[in-house]
Amino acid sequence: MNIDDPKSVVAAAKIVADGMMNFYNGNKTGGIPGLFPPPYYWWEAGAAMGSLIDYWYYTGNTEYIDVVTEAMLFQVGPNNDFMPPNQTKSEGNDDQSFWAFAAMSAAETKFPDPPSSKPQWLALAQAVFNLQTTRWANDTCDGGLRWQIYPFNNGWNYKNTISNGCFFNLASRLAKYTGNQTYADWAEKMYDWVESKGLVSSDYKFYDGTDVLQNCTSINHIQWSYNAGVFLLGAATMYNITGSDKWKTRTQGILDATNVFFTTDPPDVMYEVACEPGGKCNVDQRSFKAYLARWMAATTKMAPFTTDKILPKLKASAQAAAAQCVGASGTTCGIRWNLGPTWDGSTGVGEQMSALEVIQSSLITTVAPPVTAKLGGTSKGDPAAGSSGDNPVASFVVEPVTTGDRVGAGFLTLFILVGVLGGAWWMIL
């Protein structure tokens, strides 16, 4: 791939996108639209649909429009809020948010709207936002969102940064798209809460989460790339809306703190510092770099002053990721991009999605900025969407929750801590 030739980048993106969709059987006999087969969980399927919306946005390739539309509409659930009955018993706030992000990106990029008889992209994002505002938990730790939606799930007593960061990101983007100040107010409220609980440090490092049972006084200091990314785009969007020095400072600070996710040799190659060096990234974590790349690219549209720092990192990472896509059939992508053209032996949806997002994100200067309701947007909203609230817990047949059920976008939020507390250098205690 020639990183300086858009046609070459587009061609590489197609190879990687096709490789990701080789894992998908939701459009095949026996498959379920919107789901990848095990070991891939529901949230990651939503993230993958978001990456294909980005793929269309960057390349203009229409190949996956119908697949994405079918998948997303199949997973909206009976209340059009991404709470499908086959997932709700184990669904977390972060899981739901990744489907909302796909809908929000569809609205922002003018991805083809669904038929008028179906729920619309903007309304779906609004539904998730409205539903999550009802979960703001003032009864513990002065607010914030719990990781899990229902108390019978492991993780109910944890307030993880990604769930709260997803809400912040979505609120800021809804504020930008609609012009409604209420969304911006919620974004401010969420950032202030995260800051007050020490989930972000004074030098803008975002940590994993905090324990409700200890009144959110203990912090899990692991740093994941997607936590930095989700807050980076949210802060940049708030800067775009307000023009305030406060949000500019936060945007710059968060961006500077992402240096921990880039190698120095070779320079500027993205890596998941908490698990890649030891080869310990699980299925979920292998996709995390996709979201940092996605949100870094989008940040340049909201806060152009960041472009000179972000674009070289995206290009170096894209070139390195493409060089790693030499495994198995000759185009399978690995996850350890800093190894160069020596395939690391890993393969999966997360590997493909991460490579896809960073490769296509290097095209960010060639595409138009996100639209808004007043500037080119066509997606129809519903400010009252999701206001019916969560389904009562009693309405579910509560089956024993399996290990697989418990795995969501923040899987290691609770389970890796014991194994890494012994001195990982990226943990600022």
Side-chain angles (χ1 to χ4, degrees), residues 10 29 53 75 100 108 155 165 204 233 240 247 290-291:
V10 167
T29 301
I53 291 168
Q75 293 296 328
E108 292 167 333
Y204 300 101
L233 178 56
N240 186 280
W247 285 110
Y291 320 126

Side-chain angles (χ1 to χ4, degrees), residues 108-357:
E108 292 167 333
T109 61
K110 294 183 69 173
F111 189 77
D113 293 324
S116 59
S117 60
K118 301 292 185 180
Q120 302 299 297
W121 305 133
L122 177 59
L124 286 167
Q126 289 172 309
V128 172
F129 170 84
N130 287 336
L131 199 52
Q132 291 191 356
T133 63
T134 69
R135 301 174 189 152
W136 182 266
N138 280 320
D139 59 324
T140 57
C141 308
D142 308 310
L145 297 179
R146 294 175 181 265
W147 175 19
Q148 297 298 331
I149 296 171
Y150 293 112
F152 51 75
N153 282 327
N154 284 348
W156 169 252
N157 290 318
Y158 198 70
K159 294 193 176 182
N160 62 340
T161 301
I162 192 60
S163 291
N164 290 281
C166 287
F167 181 88
F168 168 69
N169 182 298
L170 185 62
S172 68
R173 291 162 68 185
L174 283 169
K176 174 66 178 175
Y177 191 97
T178 67
N180 187 326
Q181 182 62 35
T182 299
Y183 297 121
D185 291 344
W186 270 103
E188 291 265 9
K189 181 177 181 177
M190 177 56 85
Y191 192 95
D192 289 347
W193 181 83
V194 167
E195 189 175 53
S196 73
K197 297 305 165 189
L199 293 174
V200 57
S201 69
S202 60
D203 55 352
Y204 300 101
K205 295 179 176 70
F206 286 89
Y207 304 130
D208 188 76
T210 187
D211 189 346
V212 168
L213 297 181
Q214 298 182 39
N215 197 32
C216 297
T217 58
S218 61
I219 304 295
N220 175 343
H221 286 85
I222 297 175
Q223 293 183 64
W224 298 109
S225 61
Y226 70 166
N227 281 327
V230 79
F231 277 94
L232 176 63
L233 178 56
T237 304
M238 292 299 290
Y239 166 72
N240 186 280
I241 293 168
T242 66
S244 74
D245 288 341
K246 174 179 70 175
W247 285 110
K248 183 174 184 179
T249 297
R250 286 172 172 172
T251 302
Q252 186 65 60
I254 297 168
L255 178 57
D256 289 345
T258 63
N259 286 339
V260 72
F261 303 113
F262 291 87
T263 60
T264 56
D265 183 21
D268 291 338
V269 174
M270 191 183 297
Y271 78 128
E272 198 63 52
V273 66
C275 61
E276 267 189 50
K280 301 298 184 182
C281 297
N282 75 358
V283 170
D284 288 348
Q285 294 151 7
R286 295 176 189 187
S287 74
F288 287 2
K289 292 188 295 188
Y291 320 126
L292 178 58
R294 174 192 298 178
W295 292 322
M296 287 182 80
T299 290
T300 67
K301 295 298 190 186
M302 294 293 100
F305 70 86
T306 64
T307 302
D308 288 346
K309 179 164 184 175
I310 287 176
L311 196 57
K313 290 181 180 294
L314 290 178
K315 286 190 170 184
S317 297
Q319 193 75 73
Q324 240 319 277
C325 295
V326 293
S329 64
T331 57
T332 298
C333 300
I335 196 64
R336 298 185 69 178
W337 304 338
N338 59 310
L339 297 181
T342 302
W343 182 47
D344 66 3
S346 65
T347 180
V349 173
E351 287 89 337
Q352 296 296 134
M353 192 186 344
S354 290
L356 174 61
E357 284 285 16

